[in-house]
Amino acid sequence: MASASDSTSGTGPPRPAGTGPQGASATETLGALANVGWQIALTAGVAAIALGVVILAWPKGTLQVIGVLFGIYLLLVGAFQLAAAFGTHVPTHLRALHFLAGAVSVLLGLICFRGTLQSILLLALWIGFGWLLRGVMVTATAASAPAMPARGWMVFSGIIGMLAGIVMIVAPFASIAALTLVTGIMAVVLGVIEVVHAIRMRVEVGRLLPGTAHKRRRPLFHSTPHPQH
């Protein structure tokens, strides 16, 4: 039998982890963070599904919005490049290059606002040349470095990037339309995955929050013998 001094001096049996005030507060904090996390994941998943449905239902309207956003992007990039051309930190021999690049970017941005076809064409060409240049750089880098790890995979991805860029440049309208449909399908798939992940997180949160854990039931019949026996 444990004496009163043992209970007051703290030499009795240790408490299990998570049963004290500090353990309870840590569990509550973890449960609260997990609760916020699954709500954010669920919101992101539903938003992705909604975006994918909108893209698949109204591809032409989506392309118009994308074209306008692309025009705004070009205007902003051009404005920053024009401002950088007159900055003191830019060398003299690079100011003309910054000014020319900024002027071209602003001009292309203004062309995007003239109509949907112009913005879609510029966007497709922009993506196509970007993929083509990246594919050439990746392929050249992998070909010039025999000791590079995963060299075959780098060459393969570079060739695929070049082919995708060429297709985008040759058939810009059909390619950008197909890319829009693929984006919509991917958004729906990723949204469904995010929603399923959020539901699984919610199940785990139910085990972390206080009061939801399964409590051990007391036995109906005590097995301890009577003191008189």
Side-chain angles (χ1 to χ4, degrees):
M1 180 181 296
S3 61
S5 60
D6 293 337
S7 60
T8 56
S9 60
T11 59
R15 293 180 178 180
T19 58
Q22 295 181 355
S25 61
T27 303
E28 292 177 0
T29 303
L30 182 60
L33 292 177
N35 192 20
V36 175
W38 80 263
Q39 293 178 1
I40 294 176
L42 181 63
T43 304
V46 173
I49 294 175
L51 178 62
V53 171
V54 170
I55 292 175
L56 295 176
W58 298 283
K60 294 183 179 179
T62 304
L63 287 177
Q64 292 178 357
V65 174
I66 293 176
V68 172
L69 295 177
F70 182 64
I72 296 174
Y73 165 76
L74 291 178
L75 289 178
L76 292 177
V77 171
F80 279 113
Q81 289 180 341
L82 289 176
F86 297 98
T88 57
H89 62 282
V90 179
T92 306
H93 62 281
L94 293 179
R95 291 185 179 181
L97 181 61
H98 277 276
F99 182 83
L100 179 61
V104 172
S105 182
V106 170
L107 179 61
L108 293 177
L110 294 176
I111 292 176
C112 288
F113 290 99
R114 295 190 59 183
T116 305
L117 295 179
Q118 289 85 346
S119 60
I120 294 175
L121 178 61
L122 289 176
L123 178 60
L125 294 178
W126 185 281
I127 297 175
F129 278 109
W131 286 353
L132 179 60
L133 293 177
R134 184 183 181 280
V136 171
M137 292 177 60
V138 170
T139 304
T141 302
S144 61
M148 176 181 293
R151 183 166 173 258
W153 173 255
M154 294 291 291
V155 173
F156 176 76
S157 62
I159 294 175
I160 294 297
M162 288 190 294
L163 293 177
I166 293 173
V167 172
M168 186 70 73
I169 295 172
V170 173
F173 295 104
S175 301
I176 202 69
L179 184 61
T180 303
L181 294 178
V182 171
T183 303
I185 295 173
M186 288 294 296
V188 173
V189 172
L190 294 178
V192 171
I193 294 175
E194 198 71 22
V195 169
V196 173
H197 179 61
I199 295 174
R200 295 183 62 182
M201 287 178 61
R202 178 64 183 89
V203 174
E204 296 297 329
V205 169
R207 301 175 182 176
L208 293 176
L209 291 177
T212 58
H214 180 69
K215 297 181 180 180
R216 183 179 297 177
R217 296 182 178 178
R218 295 183 179 180
L220 297 177
F221 301 97
H222 297 280
S223 60
T224 56
H226 197 272
Q228 297 179 356
H229 292 175

